[in-house]
Structure formats: C-alpha cells, structure tokens
Amino acid sequence: MSAPDPDDVRLAGALVREAGSLAARMRADGVEGLGVEQKTSVSDVVTAADRAAEELVARRLSEERPDDGVLGEEGVDEPGTSGRRWVIDPVDGTYNFLSGLTWWCSAVALLDGDELVLGAIYHHHDDALHLGGPGLPSTRDGVPIGPLRDVPLARTSMATYFAPGDLAASAGAAFYRAAGSAAAVRMLGSGSMDATAVAQGQVGLVLQHSVPPWDELPGAALVRGAGGTTQRVRHEGLEWYAAGAPTAVAQACAALVDGADG
C-alpha cells in the first residue's frame, strides 16, 4: 500500500494529542466532575472527558476534512462524501483513566473505503505519540519501532480484555485453548495501548472477540506498520480478532477453532 498523505499523518497526531491532553486536564480537576455513566457493565463507563475529547476531534475534522466521514465510540456518526472515514476512540481505557491507572490513551484511525490507511495513538502519561499503518512504518515520537520479531505463541505473551461474563460456555473454552498455548496472558484494560506494546515487541499479540472498530483499527494500523499481521476468525457465533507476530497470531486463531497449538 502507498504511503499516506503527510498532512493526514500530521493531523492524526495532532488530534490524538489534543484529545488526550484535554481528557487529562479534566481528570486532574477530580473524578467528581466527570459525570460518570455506566454503559454495558460496571467497568464499561463513559465520562464527560470521553465526550468532550470526541467532540474536539470531530470539530477539528469538520473544519479540516469536511468531506470525510467520522465515527466515534461516544456517538459521533457522520457518513461523509469522500469515501474516507476517521474512527475515534477519545479515551481508550476509561476505567483505568477513572481509577488513576496510566494505561489509557486517545486514538484515531483513517480508512479509505475498506482500506486501513493509518492509526495514531497518544499515551498521555508518557507523552508518547505512536503513528503507523500498512504504508507507514510505525514510530514512537518519530523513532521507528519495527520490524516485529516473529515468534511462536508458546514463547510470547498474549494481551486480551473481557468482562467477567464474556467468556461463558463456548467462548471461554475457545479462549482458554488459545491462552493455554501462550507463555503468559496480560489484561491491562486498553486495546489500543496493548497494540502499542505489540508494535514495540513487548507483547506478542492481542486476542479478543467482538471488537468494535474504534478498539481495533488504530492499533491494527500500528501493528501492521511494524511488520505484524491481523486476522479474524469466526467460531460458534463470535468473531475473534488477533493482531501481532504472524506465527503467534496464526497459532492462536487455529487454537480458538480446533485446539491446535501449532
């Protein structure tokens, strides 16, 4: 895939930096003013910071890319006319954000039709900006972070996320087949942040089912820009998503379906 427009890369970096900085300022004023609301579970929450950061990004895009579509986790949904769409996760890891843990970020991705163009993830705690995509070698603060070293599942860690009820019955059995073949499992609470760790070779892969686009695409772009791969597999009514080192991803997906550990 050809390299993305440098102006799009610049804009993506500015958007996530501004969104993350706004959320951090609001969090610094205290949890009490964040208007916390529960969505699907006690750990799936939204705050005024999520909404304000998403509104900031959407407003910037309406000014600078008025023909592009916009899709945000907290409700923004503009179809656009250009065939391109920006996908926003204003605060990924909101439960961590509220709890005072630092593993959260702001993230965006850009699609052109069905093609993933780029992703940007800003980790406010480390003031670290990650950029990458299929045609854009992944970087952290401008420094290349790839290529990924290919590793088997048995010799690397797997990051995931699930609420307590998400792994009942067949979903749990499938996950434990894959997880049981990994060297270790990590659940840190932010899919996009997990992807930055994968892209930097700190974690081998991420694996999760029923992943929405704002949780998938920014990190998928980084992983692919670092030489990794992404894969989807359907099993007993669920769609699983994996991203990371090619061999580990292939083995995890095989294990989900039939127990093969490669």
Side-chain angles (χ1 to χ4, degrees), residues 187-213:
M187 190 163 74
L188 303 174
S190 168
S192 287
M193 283 301 301
D194 291 346
T196 68
V198 171
Q200 293 174 95
Q202 298 161 331
V203 175
L205 75 159
V206 294
L207 177 71
Q208 188 179 340
H209 73 71
S210 309
V211 182

Side-chain angles (χ1 to χ4, degrees), residues 59-192:
R59 183 172 63 253
R60 284 283 309 274
L61 287 169
S62 71
E63 295 167 353
E64 301 202 30
R65 298 292 187 275
D67 297 329
D68 291 355
V70 181
L71 176 67
E73 179 179 10
E74 308 310 337
V76 171
D77 190 358
E78 300 291 341
T81 59
S82 68
R84 303 185 346 148
R85 173 169 277 199
W86 297 81
V87 179
I88 310 167
D89 197 341
V91 178
D92 184 45
T94 301
Y95 198 72
N96 287 349
F97 172 77
L98 279 173
S99 302
L101 296 170
T102 62
W103 199 250
W104 65 270
C105 62
S106 293
V108 302
L110 174 61
L111 295 168
D112 190 348
D114 293 330
E115 295 294 324
L116 182 58
V117 177
L118 65 89
I121 298 171
Y122 178 62
H123 182 204
H124 182 271
H125 180 265
D126 288 353
D127 189 25
L129 176 62
H130 302 261
L131 295 164
L136 178 68
S138 293
T139 59
R140 171 181 165 133
D141 295 330
V143 178
I145 56 177
L148 281 180
R149 182 171 62 92
D150 195 17
V151 289
L153 184 59
R155 297 190 63 81
T156 194
S157 59
M158 170 194 296
T160 191
Y161 178 78
F162 51 84
D166 285 349
L167 293 181
S170 61
F175 174 78
Y176 290 121
R177 283 196 300 272
S181 300
V185 176
R186 301 285 181 259
M187 190 163 74
L188 303 174
S190 168
S192 287

Side-chain angles (χ1 to χ4, degrees), residues 153 173-174 177-179 181 250-261:
L153 184 59
R177 283 196 300 272
S181 300
Q251 291 174 337
C253 289
L256 284 171
V257 175
D258 58 22
D261 62 10

